[in-house]
């Protein structure tokens, strides 16, 4: 993150709002079919999902039962596996942006590779250069993913870490102005870290 480049580097920490509870079943089945699971297996998964019932606790007693229309059950050993498969679809989308040159990776030292992103449970970290075009491409991808899967970014728990490295002020100021204009709709928190040439030694 502290490698000097024009405009600085970015790390986006993305949190999905109620990730397990909001997953669209149609999207899940489409993902499973895309990975080669046959119709029999997909119908088994749908039967398991449709068997889930929820109730309301009133004064310590459960009353009424309601069927679910989306989401996977927390505590079910199958749920994390299904969720990881859905996240893989987003992962492939980010990798495709990198392959197509729509997202520029952070420069790395010779002989080493810098990951474009990594997942931990329902949290996502994305690493790229501080360019407006990178954020626009990622924003479009996240919007398409949210429309299909109903996995919405939780802006109150998502962060954008913007590393201003060195004194590339021209590119940094332009990019910061773009971040301020879009933060309400994309990411709520912006952390700016500025290093001087001495700090990097």
């Amino acid at each position: 993150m502290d490698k000097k480049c024009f405009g600085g580097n970015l790390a986006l920490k993305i949190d999905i709002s109620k990730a397990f509870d909001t997953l669209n079943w149609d999207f899940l089945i489409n993902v499973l079919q895309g990975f080669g699971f046959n119709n029999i297996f997909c119908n088994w998964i749908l039967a398991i999902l449709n068997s889930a019932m929820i109730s309301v606790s009133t004064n310590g007693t459960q009353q009424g039962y309601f069927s679910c229309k989306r989401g996977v059950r927390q505590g079910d050993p199958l749920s994390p596996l299904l969720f990881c498969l859905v996240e893989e679809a987003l992962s492939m989308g980010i990798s495709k942006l990198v392959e197509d040159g729509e997202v520029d990776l952070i420069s790395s030292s010779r002989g080493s590779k810098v990951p474009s992103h990594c997942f931990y449970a329902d949290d996502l970290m994305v690493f790229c250069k501080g360019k407006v075009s990178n954020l626009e491409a990622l924003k479009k991808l996240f919007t398409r993913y949210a429309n299909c899967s109903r996995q919405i970014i939780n802006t109150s728990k998502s962060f954008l870490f913007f590393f201003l490295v060195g004194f590339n002020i021209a590119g940094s100021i332009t990019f910061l102005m773009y971040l301020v204009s879009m933060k309400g709709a994309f990411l709520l928190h912006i952390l700016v870290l500025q290093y001087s040439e001495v700090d990097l030694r």
Side-chain angles (χ1 to χ4, degrees):
M1 292 300 300
D2 60 357
K3 190 173 180 62
K4 186 175 181 179
C5 73
F6 184 81
N9 294 317
L10 285 178
L12 292 79
K13 185 267 184 184
I14 308 295
D15 181 86
I16 304 298
S17 179
K18 298 185 181 300
F20 273 63
D21 299 330
T22 58
L23 180 60
N24 182 281
W25 291 352
D26 291 335
F27 181 74
L28 170 60
I29 297 303
N30 287 336
V31 169
L32 292 176
Q33 292 174 341
F35 280 114
F37 292 94
N38 60 31
N39 290 333
I40 295 176
F41 181 85
C42 292
N43 288 333
W44 288 346
I45 297 299
L46 274 178
I48 293 172
L49 295 174
N50 281 301
S51 67
M53 303 289 288
I54 58 177
S55 61
V56 178
S57 179
T58 305
N59 296 327
T61 58
Q62 295 183 344
Q63 297 182 356
Y65 288 92
F66 309 90
S67 59
C68 301
K69 296 299 181 183
R70 62 179 181 175
V72 291
R73 285 182 286 190
Q74 298 193 37
D76 188 325
L78 187 61
S79 295
L81 301 176
L82 296 175
F83 189 77
C84 285
L85 287 173
V86 170
E87 284 188 323
E88 183 61 22
L90 177 58
S91 176
M92 294 170 65
I94 297 174
S95 298
K96 185 70 164 54
L97 291 179
V98 175
E99 291 175 5
D100 293 344
E102 296 185 53
V103 170
D104 297 320
L105 295 182
I106 297 171
S107 301
S108 61
S109 302
R110 183 176 299 176
S112 63
K113 293 184 178 180
V114 175
S116 59
H117 63 284
C118 60
F119 282 95
Y120 180 77
D122 59 344
D123 289 328
L124 166 65
M125 289 289 296
V126 181
F127 309 98
C128 62
K129 289 183 179 179
K131 296 171 62 177
V132 171
S133 59
N134 288 341
L135 271 187
E136 287 180 336
L138 288 170
K139 184 180 179 182
K140 288 179 182 178
L141 174 64
F142 293 146
T143 300
R144 292 199 306 270
Y145 178 73
N147 290 337
C148 294
S149 67
R150 310 313 301 168
Q151 302 281 279
I152 309 298
I153 291 177
N154 185 350
T155 56
S156 64
K157 293 184 179 180
S158 296
F159 296 84
L160 191 154
F161 300 93
F162 181 36
F163 291 77
L164 283 171
V165 182
F167 295 97
N168 298 313
I169 300 300
S172 299
I173 289 179
T174 301
F175 189 70
L176 271 177
M177 291 176 64
Y178 178 77
L179 292 180
V180 171
S181 69
M182 72 180 295
K183 71 173 185 177
F186 186 51
L187 294 172
L188 189 61
H189 304 285
I190 298 175
L191 175 63
V192 180
L193 302 179
Q194 174 141 16
Y195 299 96
S196 66
E197 298 289 346
V198 176
D199 293 331
L200 293 176
R201 294 192 183 102

